[in-house]
Coordinates of all heavy atoms in Angstrom, one line a residue:
M1 N -51.5 111.5 173.0 CA -51.9 112.3 171.9 C -51.5 113.7 172.1 O -51.5 114.2 173.2 CB -53.4 112.2 171.7 CG -53.9 113.1 170.5 SD -55.7 113.0 170.2 CE -55.8 111.3 169.8
K2 N -51.0 114.4 171.0 CA -50.6 115.8 171.1 C -51.4 116.6 170.1 O -51.4 116.3 168.9 CB -49.1 115.9 170.8 CG -48.2 115.0 171.7 CD -46.8 115.1 171.3 CE -46.1 113.9 171.8 NZ -44.8 113.8 171.1
I3 N -51.9 117.7 170.6 CA -52.8 118.6 169.7 C -52.2 120.0 169.7 O -52.0 120.6 170.8 CB -54.2 118.6 170.2 CG1 -54.8 117.2 170.2 CG2 -55.1 119.5 169.3 CD1 -56.2 117.1 170.7
L4 N -52.0 120.5 168.5 CA -51.6 121.9 168.4 C -52.8 122.8 168.2 O -53.5 122.5 167.2 CB -50.6 122.0 167.2 CG -50.2 123.4 166.8 CD1 -49.4 124.1 167.9 CD2 -49.4 123.4 165.5
F5 N -53.0 123.7 169.0 CA -54.1 124.7 168.8 C -53.6 125.9 168.1 O -52.5 126.5 168.5 CB -54.6 125.2 170.2 CG -55.6 124.2 170.9 CD1 -55.9 123.0 170.4 CD2 -56.2 124.6 172.0 CE1 -56.7 122.1 171.0 CE2 -57.1 123.8 172.7 CZ -57.4 122.5 172.2
V6 N -54.3 126.3 167.1 CA -53.9 127.6 166.3 C -55.1 128.5 166.4 O -56.2 128.1 166.1 CB -53.6 127.2 164.8 CG1 -53.2 128.4 164.1 CG2 -52.5 126.1 164.8
T7 N -54.8 129.8 166.7 CA -55.9 130.8 166.7 C -55.3 132.1 166.2 O -54.1 132.2 165.9 CB -56.5 130.9 168.1 OG1 -57.6 131.7 168.1 CG2 -55.5 131.5 169.1
R8 N -56.2 133.1 166.2 CA -55.7 134.4 165.7 C -54.6 135.0 166.6 O -54.7 134.7 167.8 CB -56.9 135.4 165.6 CG -57.7 135.5 166.8 CD -59.0 136.3 166.6 NE -59.9 136.1 167.8 CZ -59.8 136.8 168.9 NH1 -58.8 137.8 169.0 NH2 -60.6 136.6 169.9
P9 N -53.7 135.8 166.0 CA -52.6 136.2 166.8 C -53.0 137.1 168.0 O -52.2 137.1 169.0 CB -51.8 137.1 165.8 CG -52.2 136.6 164.5 CD -53.6 136.1 164.6
D10 N -54.1 137.8 168.0 CA -54.5 138.7 169.1 C -55.5 138.0 170.1 O -56.1 138.7 170.9 CB -55.0 140.0 168.6 CG -56.3 139.8 167.8 OD1 -56.7 138.7 167.5 OD2 -57.0 140.9 167.5
A11 N -55.6 136.8 170.0 CA -56.6 136.1 170.9 C -56.4 136.3 172.3 O -57.4 136.3 173.1 CB -56.6 134.6 170.6
Q12 N -55.2 136.5 172.8 CA -55.0 136.7 174.2 C -55.1 138.1 174.6 O -55.4 138.4 175.8 CB -53.6 136.1 174.6 CG -53.5 134.6 174.5 CD -52.2 134.1 174.8 OE1 -51.2 134.8 174.9 NE2 -52.1 132.8 175.1
Q13 N -55.1 139.0 173.7 CA -55.3 140.4 174.0 C -56.7 140.9 173.8 O -57.2 141.7 174.5 CB -54.4 141.3 173.1 CG -52.9 141.2 173.4 CD -52.2 140.0 172.8 OE1 -52.7 139.5 171.8 NE2 -51.2 139.5 173.4
V14 N -57.4 140.3 172.8 CA -58.8 140.6 172.4 C -59.6 139.3 172.7 O -59.8 138.6 171.8 CB -58.9 141.1 171.0 CG1 -60.3 141.5 170.7 CG2 -58.0 142.3 170.7
V15 N -60.0 139.2 173.9 CA -60.7 137.9 174.3 C -62.1 137.9 173.7 O -62.8 138.9 173.9 CB -60.6 137.7 175.8 CG1 -61.4 136.5 176.2 CG2 -59.2 137.7 176.3
G16 N -62.4 136.8 173.1 CA -63.8 136.7 172.5 C -64.2 135.2 172.7 O -63.6 134.4 173.5
G17 N -65.3 134.9 172.1 CA -65.9 133.5 172.3 C -64.9 132.4 171.8 O -64.9 131.3 172.4
D18 N -64.2 132.7 170.8 CA -63.2 131.7 170.3 C -62.1 131.5 171.4 O -61.7 130.3 171.5 CB -62.6 132.1 169.0 CG -61.9 133.5 169.0 OD1 -62.3 134.3 169.8 OD2 -60.9 133.7 168.2
T19 N -61.7 132.5 172.1 CA -60.7 132.4 173.1 C -61.2 131.5 174.3 O -60.6 130.6 174.8 CB -60.2 133.7 173.7 OG1 -59.9 134.6 172.6 CG2 -59.1 133.6 174.6
V20 N -62.5 131.8 174.6 CA -63.1 131.0 175.7 C -63.3 129.5 175.3 O -62.9 128.6 176.1 CB -64.5 131.6 176.1 CG1 -65.2 130.7 177.1 CG2 -64.3 133.0 176.7
Q21 N -63.7 129.3 174.1 CA -63.8 127.9 173.6 C -62.5 127.2 173.6 O -62.4 126.1 174.0 CB -64.4 128.0 172.2 CG -64.6 126.6 171.6 CD -65.0 126.6 170.1 OE1 -65.0 127.6 169.5 NE2 -65.5 125.5 169.7
L22 N -61.4 127.9 173.1 CA -60.1 127.3 173.1 C -59.6 126.9 174.5 O -59.2 125.8 174.7 CB -59.1 128.4 172.5 CG -57.7 127.9 172.4 CD1 -57.1 128.5 171.1 CD2 -56.9 128.3 173.6
L23 N -59.8 127.8 175.5 CA -59.3 127.6 176.8 C -60.1 126.4 177.5 O -59.5 125.6 178.1 CB -59.4 128.8 177.7 CG -58.5 129.9 177.3 CD1 -58.8 131.2 178.0 CD2 -57.0 129.5 177.5
K24 N -61.4 126.4 177.3 CA -62.2 125.3 177.9 C -61.9 124.0 177.2 O -61.9 122.9 177.9 CB -63.7 125.7 177.7 CG -64.2 126.9 178.6 CD -63.9 126.6 180.1 CE -64.5 127.7 180.9 NZ -64.3 127.4 182.4
T25 N -61.7 124.0 175.9 CA -61.3 122.8 175.2 C -60.0 122.3 175.7 O -59.8 121.1 175.9 CB -61.3 123.0 173.7 OG1 -62.6 123.5 173.2 CG2 -61.0 121.7 172.9
Q26 N -59.1 123.2 175.8 CA -57.7 122.8 176.4 C -57.9 122.2 177.7 O -57.2 121.1 178.0 CB -56.8 124.1 176.4 CG -55.4 123.8 176.9 CD -54.6 125.0 176.9 OE1 -55.1 126.2 177.0 NE2 -53.3 124.9 176.9
Q27 N -58.6 122.8 178.6 CA -58.8 122.3 180.0 C -59.4 120.8 180.0 O -58.9 120.0 180.7 CB -59.7 123.2 180.8 CG -59.1 124.5 181.2 CD -60.0 125.5 181.8 OE1 -61.2 125.2 182.0 NE2 -59.6 126.6 182.2
G28 N -60.4 120.7 179.1 CA -61.0 119.4 179.1 C -60.1 118.3 178.5 O -60.1 117.2 179.0
L29 N -59.4 118.6 177.5 CA -58.5 117.6 176.9 C -57.3 117.3 177.8 O -56.9 116.1 178.0 CB -57.9 118.2 175.6 CG -58.9 118.2 174.4 CD1 -58.3 119.0 173.2 CD2 -59.3 116.8 174.0
Q30 N -56.8 118.3 178.5 CA -55.7 118.1 179.5 C -56.2 117.2 180.7 O -55.4 116.3 181.1 CB -55.1 119.4 180.0 CG -54.3 120.1 178.9 CD -53.8 121.4 179.3 OE1 -54.4 122.1 180.2 NE2 -52.7 121.8 178.8
K31 N -57.4 117.3 181.1 CA -58.0 116.4 182.1 C -58.0 115.0 181.6 O -58.0 114.0 182.4 CB -59.4 116.8 182.5 CG -59.4 118.1 183.4 CD -60.8 118.4 183.8 CE -60.9 119.7 184.6 NZ -62.3 120.1 184.9
L32 N -58.1 114.8 180.3 CA -58.1 113.4 179.7 C -56.7 112.9 179.4 O -56.5 111.8 178.9 CB -58.9 113.4 178.4 CG -60.4 113.7 178.6 CD1 -61.1 113.9 177.2 CD2 -61.1 112.6 179.4
G33 N -55.7 113.7 179.8 CA -54.3 113.3 179.6 C -53.7 113.7 178.2 O -52.7 113.1 177.8
V34 N -54.4 114.5 177.5 CA -54.0 114.9 176.1 C -53.0 116.1 176.3 O -53.3 117.0 177.1 CB -55.1 115.3 175.2 CG1 -54.7 115.8 173.9 CG2 -56.1 114.1 175.0
E35 N -51.9 116.1 175.5 CA -51.0 117.2 175.6 C -51.5 118.3 174.6 O -51.8 117.9 173.4 CB -49.6 116.8 175.1 CG -48.9 115.9 176.1 CD -47.5 115.5 175.7 OE1 -46.7 116.4 175.4 OE2 -47.2 114.3 175.5
V36 N -51.6 119.5 175.0 CA -52.1 120.6 174.2 C -51.1 121.7 174.2 O -50.6 122.1 175.3 CB -53.5 121.1 174.7 CG1 -54.0 122.2 173.8 CG2 -54.5 120.0 174.7
Q37 N -50.8 122.2 173.0 CA -49.9 123.4 172.9 C -50.5 124.4 172.0 O -51.1 124.1 171.0 CB -48.6 122.9 172.3 CG -47.5 123.9 172.0 CD -46.3 123.3 171.5 OE1 -45.8 122.3 172.0 NE2 -45.8 123.7 170.3
L38 N -50.4 125.6 172.4 CA -50.9 126.8 171.6 C -49.7 127.3 170.8 O -48.7 127.6 171.3 CB -51.5 127.9 172.4 CG -52.0 129.1 171.7 CD1 -53.1 128.8 170.8 CD2 -52.5 130.1 172.7
G39 N -49.9 127.4 169.4 CA -48.8 127.9 168.6 C -49.1 128.1 167.2 O -50.3 128.0 166.8
V40 N -48.1 128.3 166.4 CA -48.2 128.5 165.0 C -47.9 127.2 164.3 O -47.1 126.4 164.9 CB -47.3 129.6 164.4 CG1 -47.7 130.9 165.0 CG2 -45.9 129.3 164.7
P41 N -48.5 126.9 163.1 CA -48.2 125.6 162.5 C -46.9 125.6 161.6 O -46.9 125.5 160.5 CB -49.4 125.4 161.6 CG -49.9 126.8 161.3 CD -49.5 127.6 162.5
D42 N -45.8 125.8 162.4 CA -44.5 125.8 161.7 C -44.0 124.4 161.7 O -44.6 123.5 162.3 CB -43.5 126.8 162.3 CG -43.2 126.5 163.8 OD1 -43.5 125.4 164.3 OD2 -42.7 127.4 164.5
A43 N -42.8 124.2 161.1 CA -42.3 122.8 160.9 C -42.1 122.1 162.3 O -42.4 120.9 162.4 CB -40.9 122.8 160.2
E44 N -41.5 122.8 163.3 CA -41.3 122.3 164.6 C -42.6 121.8 165.3 O -42.7 120.7 165.8 CB -40.5 123.2 165.4 CG -40.1 122.7 166.8 CD -39.4 123.7 167.7 OE1 -38.7 124.6 167.1 OE2 -39.4 123.5 168.9
N45 N -43.6 122.7 165.3 CA -44.8 122.4 165.9 C -45.6 121.3 165.2 O -46.2 120.4 165.9 CB -45.7 123.6 166.1 CG -45.2 124.6 167.1 OD1 -44.5 124.2 168.0 ND2 -45.5 125.9 167.0
L46 N -45.5 121.3 163.9 CA -46.2 120.3 163.1 C -45.6 118.9 163.3 O -46.3 117.9 163.4 CB -46.3 120.6 161.6 CG -47.2 121.7 161.3 CD1 -47.0 122.1 159.8 CD2 -48.7 121.3 161.5
A47 N -44.3 118.9 163.5 CA -43.6 117.6 163.8 C -44.0 117.1 165.1 O -44.1 115.8 165.3 CB -42.1 117.8 163.7
W48 N -44.2 117.9 166.1 CA -44.6 117.6 167.5 C -46.1 117.0 167.5 O -46.3 116.1 168.2 CB -44.5 118.8 168.4 CG -45.0 118.5 169.8 CD1 -44.4 118.0 170.8 CD2 -46.3 118.9 170.3 NE1 -45.2 117.9 171.9 CE2 -46.4 118.5 171.6 CE3 -47.4 119.5 169.7 CZ2 -47.5 118.7 172.4 CZ3 -48.5 119.7 170.4 CH2 -48.6 119.3 171.8
A49 N -47.0 117.7 166.7 CA -48.4 117.4 166.9 C -48.9 116.2 166.1 O -48.4 115.9 165.0 CB -49.2 118.6 166.4
D50 N -49.9 115.5 166.7 CA -50.6 114.5 166.0 C -51.8 115.1 165.3 O -52.2 114.6 164.2 CB -51.2 113.4 167.0 CG -50.0 112.8 167.8 OD1 -49.1 112.3 167.1 OD2 -50.1 112.7 169.0
I51 N -52.4 116.1 165.9 CA -53.6 116.8 165.3 C -53.4 118.3 165.4 O -52.8 118.8 166.4 CB -54.8 116.4 166.2 CG1 -55.1 114.9 166.0 CG2 -56.1 117.2 165.7 CD1 -56.2 114.4 166.9
V52 N -53.9 119.0 164.4 CA -53.9 120.5 164.4 C -55.4 120.9 164.5 O -56.2 120.6 163.7 CB -53.2 121.0 163.2 CG1 -53.3 122.5 163.1 CG2 -51.8 120.6 163.1
H53 N -55.7 121.7 165.6 CA -57.0 122.2 165.8 C -57.0 123.7 165.6 O -56.3 124.5 166.3 CB -57.5 121.9 167.2 CG -58.9 122.2 167.5 ND1 -59.6 121.6 168.4 CD2 -59.7 123.1 166.9 CE1 -60.9 122.1 168.5 NE2 -60.9 123.0 167.5
V54 N -57.6 124.2 164.5 CA -57.7 125.6 164.2 C -59.0 126.2 164.7 O -60.1 125.7 164.4 CB -57.5 125.8 162.7 CG1 -57.6 127.2 162.3 CG2 -56.3 125.1 162.1
F55 N -58.8 127.3 165.4 CA -60.0 128.0 166.0 C -60.2 129.3 165.2 O -59.3 130.0 164.8 CB -59.8 128.4 167.4 CG -59.8 127.2 168.4 CD1 -58.6 126.4 168.5 CD2 -61.0 126.9 169.0 CE1 -58.7 125.3 169.4 CE2 -61.0 125.8 169.9 CZ -59.8 125.0 170.1
N56 N -61.5 129.6 164.9 CA -61.9 130.9 164.4 C -61.7 131.0 162.9 O -60.7 131.6 162.4 CB -61.3 132.1 165.1 CG -62.1 133.4 164.8 OD1 -62.8 133.5 163.9 ND2 -61.8 134.4 165.6
A57 N -62.6 130.5 162.1 CA -62.5 130.6 160.6 C -62.8 132.0 160.1 O -62.7 132.3 159.0 CB -63.5 129.6 160.0
Q58 N -63.2 132.9 161.0 CA -63.5 134.3 160.6 C -62.2 135.1 160.3 O -62.2 136.3 159.9 CB -64.3 135.0 161.7 CG -65.7 134.5 161.9 CD -66.4 135.2 163.0 OE1 -66.0 136.3 163.5 NE2 -67.6 134.7 163.3
T59 N -61.0 134.5 160.6 CA -59.8 135.1 160.3 C -59.0 134.2 159.3 O -58.0 133.6 159.7 CB -58.9 135.3 161.6 OG1 -58.8 134.0 162.3 CG2 -59.5 136.3 162.5
P60 N -59.4 134.3 158.1 CA -58.8 133.4 157.1 C -57.4 133.6 156.8 O -56.6 132.7 156.4 CB -59.7 133.6 155.8 CG -60.3 135.0 156.0 CD -60.5 135.1 157.5
E61 N -56.9 134.8 157.1 CA -55.4 135.1 156.9 C -54.6 134.3 157.9 O -53.4 134.0 157.6 CB -55.1 136.6 157.1 CG -55.4 137.2 158.4 CD -56.9 137.6 158.6 OE1 -57.7 137.4 157.7 OE2 -57.2 138.1 159.7
T62 N -55.2 133.8 159.0 CA -54.5 132.9 159.9 C -54.9 131.5 159.7 O -54.1 130.6 159.7 CB -54.8 133.3 161.4 OG1 -54.4 134.7 161.6 CG2 -54.1 132.5 162.4
S63 N -56.2 131.2 159.6 CA -56.7 129.9 159.6 C -56.5 129.1 158.3 O -56.1 127.9 158.4 CB -58.3 129.8 159.9 OG -59.0 130.6 159.0
L64 N -56.6 129.8 157.2 CA -56.3 129.1 155.9 C -54.9 128.6 155.8 O -54.7 127.4 155.5 CB -56.8 129.9 154.8 CG -56.7 129.2 153.4 CD1 -57.6 128.0 153.4 CD2 -57.2 130.2 152.3
P65 N -53.9 129.4 156.0 CA -52.5 128.9 155.9 C -52.2 127.8 157.0 O -51.5 126.8 156.7 CB -51.6 130.1 156.2 CG -52.5 131.3 155.8 CD -53.9 130.9 156.2
A66 N -52.9 127.9 158.1 CA -52.7 126.9 159.2 C -53.2 125.6 158.7 O -52.6 124.5 158.8 CB -53.4 127.3 160.4
L67 N -54.4 125.6 158.1 CA -55.0 124.3 157.6 C -54.2 123.8 156.4 O -54.0 122.6 156.3 CB -56.4 124.6 157.1 CG -57.4 124.9 158.3 CD1 -58.7 125.4 157.7 CD2 -57.6 123.6 159.1
Q68 N -53.7 124.6 155.5 CA -52.9 124.2 154.4 C -51.6 123.6 154.9 O -51.2 122.6 154.3 CB -52.6 125.4 153.4 CG -53.9 125.8 152.7 CD -53.7 127.1 152.0 OE1 -52.9 128.0 152.3 NE2 -54.5 127.3 150.9
N69 N -50.9 124.2 155.8 CA -49.6 123.7 156.3 C -49.9 122.3 157.0 O -49.0 121.4 156.8 CB -49.0 124.7 157.3 CG -48.5 125.9 156.7 OD1 -48.3 125.9 155.5 ND2 -48.2 126.9 157.5
A70 N -50.9 122.2 157.8 CA -51.2 120.9 158.4 C -51.5 119.8 157.4 O -51.0 118.7 157.5 CB -52.4 121.1 159.3
R71 N -52.2 120.2 156.3 CA -52.5 119.2 155.3 C -51.2 118.8 154.6 O -51.0 117.6 154.3 CB -53.5 119.8 154.3 CG -53.9 118.8 153.2 CD -54.9 119.4 152.3 NE -55.2 118.4 151.3 CZ -56.1 118.5 150.3 NH1 -56.8 119.6 150.2 NH2 -56.2 117.6 149.4
Q72 N -50.4 119.7 154.3 CA -49.1 119.4 153.6 C -48.2 118.5 154.5 O -47.5 117.7 154.0 CB -48.4 120.7 153.2 CG -49.0 121.4 152.0 CD -48.3 122.7 151.8 OE1 -47.5 123.2 152.5 NE2 -48.7 123.3 150.6
A73 N -48.4 118.7 155.8 CA -47.6 117.9 156.7 C -48.2 116.5 157.0 O -47.7 115.7 157.7 CB -47.4 118.6 158.0
G74 N -49.4 116.3 156.4 CA -50.1 115.0 156.6 C -50.8 114.9 158.0 O -51.0 113.8 158.4
K75 N -51.1 116.0 158.6 CA -51.7 116.0 159.9 C -53.2 116.0 159.8 O -53.8 116.6 159.0 CB -51.3 117.2 160.8 CG -49.8 117.2 161.0 CD -49.3 116.1 161.8 CE -47.8 116.1 162.0 NZ -47.3 115.1 162.8
K76 N -53.9 115.3 160.8 CA -55.3 115.3 160.9 C -55.6 116.8 161.4 O -54.9 117.3 162.2 CB -55.8 114.3 161.9 CG -55.6 112.9 161.3 CD -56.1 111.9 162.3 CE -55.9 110.5 161.8 NZ -56.3 109.4 162.7
T77 N -56.8 117.3 161.0 CA -57.1 118.7 161.4 C -58.5 118.7 161.9 O -59.4 117.9 161.5 CB -57.0 119.6 160.2 OG1 -57.9 119.2 159.1 CG2 -55.6 119.7 159.7
V78 N -58.7 119.7 162.7 CA -60.0 120.1 163.3 C -60.2 121.6 163.1 O -59.3 122.3 163.3 CB -60.2 119.7 164.8 CG1 -61.5 120.2 165.4 CG2 -59.9 118.3 165.1
L79 N -61.4 122.0 162.7 CA -61.7 123.4 162.5 C -62.9 123.7 163.4 O -64.0 123.2 163.1 CB -61.9 123.7 161.0 CG -62.4 125.2 160.7 CD1 -61.4 126.2 161.2 CD2 -62.8 125.3 159.3
S80 N -62.7 124.6 164.3 CA -63.8 125.2 165.1 C -64.1 126.6 164.6 O -63.3 127.5 164.7 CB -63.5 125.2 166.6 OG -63.4 123.9 167.1
T81 N -65.2 126.7 163.9 CA -65.5 128.0 163.2 C -65.8 129.1 164.2 O -65.7 130.2 163.9 CB -66.7 127.8 162.3 OG1 -67.8 127.3 163.0 CG2 -66.4 126.8 161.2

């Protein structure tokens, strides 16, 4: 299984609870053998991913287009608010 993680663009510079959640989720999934990639939901990443996991609904300018792109691509989605 391959999961694309999408978060706010400054998540690595401005670390918050969503960043910690993303990193801990990534670690847990990788221990289970799941491939996880952090990126934007562009055509290449969406083609690669089975699931798109969007973190932080407080940034709708990032999360809403990500969810819409994933839906248009027919991908299953997860939203961690």
Side-chain angles (χ1 to χ4, degrees):
M1 178 179 298
K2 301 176 202 166
I3 302 177
L4 174 65
F5 280 6
V6 180
T7 192
R8 56 190 166 81
D10 65 349
Q12 294 180 343
Q13 291 80 30
V14 182
V15 177
D18 58 332
T19 309
V20 174
Q21 181 184 13
L22 180 145
L23 294 172
K24 292 298 184 181
T25 302
Q26 181 180 24
Q27 290 172 358
L29 289 170
Q30 288 174 332
K31 284 181 184 178
L32 295 172
V34 176
E35 292 181 58
V36 178
Q37 176 178 309
L38 179 61
V40 296
D42 60 16
E44 183 179 338
N45 288 337
L46 288 172
W48 172 85
D50 299 311
I51 297 172
V52 176
H53 188 154
V54 179
F55 289 83
N56 197 344
Q58 293 180 9
T59 53
E61 63 278 358
T62 303
S63 56
L64 186 56
L67 292 167
Q68 290 170 332
N69 289 345
R71 181 177 179 177
Q72 288 175 349
K75 299 297 178 174
K76 294 179 181 179
T77 58
V78 176
L79 174 62
S80 291
T81 57

